[in-house]
Amino acid sequence: QILCLRPLVKEHLIYKCGNGEHFSLWFDPWLHGDSVHALYGHMVMFEAGLSKHARVKEVIRDGEWCWPQAPCDVVELQQRVRSIPISTAPDSIHWDKVGEVFSTASAFHGIRQRFLSVDWHDIVWHSRRIPKHAFSLWLALRGAHRTKDKLLAIGVVHSTDCAFLCGETETLQHLFFQCPFSSMVWREVLLMCNIVRPLLSWADEVLWMSTHARGSAFHHTMRRLAFAATVYHLWIERNRRCFKNVFLPYQEIIRLVKQDV
């Protein structure tokens, strides 16, 4: 997968030719962003009579370009390189522009795909977040949790019954917070945050939190933390029941949420 990014990364690299000791004459993109081989093919190496391992320095004599006498492709190449200055400085590679210092951050921002910010960004990736809670909430918001309805579709399980034994089909929307078990947990957590309102569908809960848990006020931070902690501990309890056959009462889940927040 990383190697697939090579063409994309290439667009950000600038090869600045110096004394020619390090750049491949044929394969490095020192010629105005392209390699000689990419522009003229393999035949130019044969016509020039130079090894495929040749360095740029082999066509530099006394500070000037000095190509072998050869057919038209090499003559054209001689014309193209005249605008490239020769110096005694070593060859160098730059990121985006000459003199720019490379960093992993600049590389990441340079090659990543950019999308519009989502409304729920601030309730997940805020400065007070608990990393494992934020990650679990992010998965839920992306619809990435492998609930039983998804697992049934790919043949992993034979039943979609909710792990909280309510008899309903386990979906993301059901787990958060339409299931009687999870709704009891979430209702109590809301009360601890001094929020008294009916429970909403998952999409509406996210919208409500995105609207009413913004900013740096203490009660907004508590709401964000409580929301993420509830999603995290409900998902952990669901997995605990599925894989370990261990069942905690809803009061214990509330205690764990309170302890973390």
Side-chain angles (χ1 to χ4, degrees):
Q1 291 294 329
I2 293 177
L3 291 178
C4 292
L5 294 174
R6 290 174 68 181
L8 186 59
V9 171
K10 179 186 173 184
E11 297 176 6
H12 297 270
L13 295 177
I14 299 174
Y15 281 64
K16 182 175 175 58
C17 191
N19 55 24
E21 290 186 357
H22 298 292
F23 288 168
S24 166
L25 177 61
W26 310 117
F27 302 109
D28 282 332
W30 59 271
L31 184 58
H32 304 299
D34 288 304
S35 69
V36 174
H37 183 267
L39 293 172
Y40 297 98
H42 193 77
M43 183 59 68
V44 72
M45 291 187 278
F46 174 77
E47 292 176 346
L50 296 172
S51 165
K52 68 177 182 178
H53 302 295
R55 299 291 177 179
V56 175
K57 68 178 182 178
E58 295 184 35
V59 292
I60 298 174
R61 296 287 185 278
D62 299 323
E64 295 183 357
W65 294 106
C66 184
W67 290 82
Q69 296 297 320
C72 57
D73 278 350
V74 177
V75 173
E76 180 186 336
L77 186 53
Q78 289 176 331
Q79 300 296 323
R80 297 189 67 165
V81 301
R82 284 181 178 178
S83 61
I84 300 177
I86 300 171
S87 73
T88 57
D91 300 329
S92 56
I93 303 175
H94 305 267
W95 182 262
D96 275 337
K97 61 182 180 181
V98 175
E100 186 76 14
V101 177
F102 174 83
S103 68
T104 53
S106 63
F108 171 73
H109 290 297
I111 67 177
R112 74 182 179 95
Q113 289 183 302
R114 296 179 181 273
F115 299 95
L116 295 176
S117 179
V118 291
D119 292 336
W120 45 259
H121 175 273
D122 291 336
I123 66 175
V124 180
W125 308 118
H126 55 94
S127 61
R128 300 286 185 176
R129 67 186 180 273
I130 299 172
K132 61 183 180 181
H133 293 183
F135 181 66
S136 180
L137 178 58
W138 177 73
L139 289 176
L141 291 167
R142 299 284 295 177
H145 280 312
R146 294 297 181 92
T147 47
K148 288 185 178 180
D149 61 323
K150 296 176 183 176
L151 295 176
L152 180 69
I154 58 176
V156 175
V157 298
H158 301 290
S159 171
T160 60
D161 289 348
C162 176
F164 297 132
L165 306 178
C166 67
E168 297 292 329
T169 298
E170 182 187 278
T171 65
L172 184 75
Q173 292 73 21
H174 176 73
L175 282 179
F176 310 121
F177 302 97
Q178 301 302 306
C179 173
F181 182 90
S182 62
S183 65
M184 286 190 292
V185 173
W186 183 228
R187 187 175 290 107
E188 288 298 319
V189 172
L190 286 175
L191 288 175
M192 288 191 293
C193 294
N194 295 319
I195 299 172
V196 180
R197 61 163 173 79
L199 300 190
L200 308 172
S201 67
W202 172 243
D204 288 337
E205 288 286 358
V206 173
L207 181 60
W208 193 95
M209 280 291 166
S210 299
T211 305
H212 295 85
R214 291 182 179 275
S216 57
F218 177 76
H219 65 285
H220 288 166
T221 301
M222 293 300 293
R223 289 174 181 178
R224 293 194 294 266
L225 291 173
F227 185 47
T230 303
V231 169
Y232 171 80
H233 282 292
L234 283 173
W235 184 250
I236 292 298
E237 174 61 15
R238 178 263 186 198
N239 288 343
R240 187 183 293 115
R241 294 182 176 214
C242 289
F243 301 116
K244 296 183 178 180
N245 201 32
V246 175
F247 297 72
L248 297 183
Y250 81 93
Q251 295 92 337
E252 180 63 14
I253 306 303
I254 295 169
R255 188 193 69 80
L256 291 171
V257 170
K258 185 177 181 180
Q259 174 181 284
D260 283 355
V261 174

